[in-house]
Amino acid sequence: MANEMIESSCHCGAVRFVTSCAPEEIVDCNCTICRRYGALWAYYSPKEVQVTKDATDIYMWGARMLEFHRCKRCGCVTHWEAVDKTHDRMGVNARLMTPEVLAHARLRHFDGANSWKYLDE
């Protein structure tokens, strides 16, 4: 699946994604927002992701460096993007992908609450 286009969506289907490939890694972050969202993040360049953003609301907090998007209709957290659009990384909520797409992805645990290091290294 490494080179196939991957389609996923929020629960109601209003927000749809197409990514360039299945993620090789997914990240479980324990920072204050990620642990509350329960998201598993797959990271991509924004150039590798097509998303219907017109169906999302944005939430920002703290330093206001990231935009967290959620579906306006069903409330699923869909992705985050950097406010600075020159930043070449975004997070897609891998929980919106099918289990088959995630079957071979390595699960990483990131300590975003304290050390900003991966806990599984």
Side-chain angles (χ1 to χ4, degrees):
M1 263 191 206
N3 294 321
E4 295 178 20
M5 298 301 278
I6 304 299
E7 296 182 28
S8 55
S9 71
C10 64
H11 191 259
C12 73
V15 181
R16 296 188 176 277
F17 291 92
V18 178
T19 55
S20 60
C21 60
E24 292 181 17
E25 291 184 347
I26 51 178
V27 176
D28 181 11
C29 176
N30 68 354
C31 79
T32 59
I33 196 161
C34 291
R35 70 181 170 84
R36 285 176 171 87
Y37 283 159
L40 293 175
W41 299 112
Y43 299 117
Y44 295 93
S45 166
K47 297 174 205 122
E48 298 175 307
V49 180
Q50 297 170 1
V51 58
T52 54
K53 295 181 198 172
D54 56 333
T56 65
D57 285 327
I58 295 172
Y59 174 71
M60 294 189 295
W61 66 283
R64 302 180 72 78
M65 295 173 59
L66 297 179
E67 301 172 346
F68 288 90
H69 290 252
R70 68 176 178 86
C71 175
K72 290 179 185 180
R73 188 181 310 162
C74 69
C76 285
V77 173
T78 56
H79 66 288
W80 64 259
E81 294 180 31
V83 171
D84 175 0
K85 298 305 180 200
T86 64
H87 188 71
D88 193 39
R89 182 170 160 143
M90 69 180 289
V92 173
N93 186 355
R95 291 201 186 269
L96 304 181
M97 298 175 181
T98 65
E100 295 80 20
V101 167
L102 300 178
H104 301 289
R106 176 182 177 201
L107 176 60
R108 305 286 314 273
H109 296 279
F110 185 75
D111 185 14
N114 296 303
S115 69
W116 280 80
K117 294 179 181 176
Y118 284 99
L119 299 172
D120 50 12
E121 289 186 339

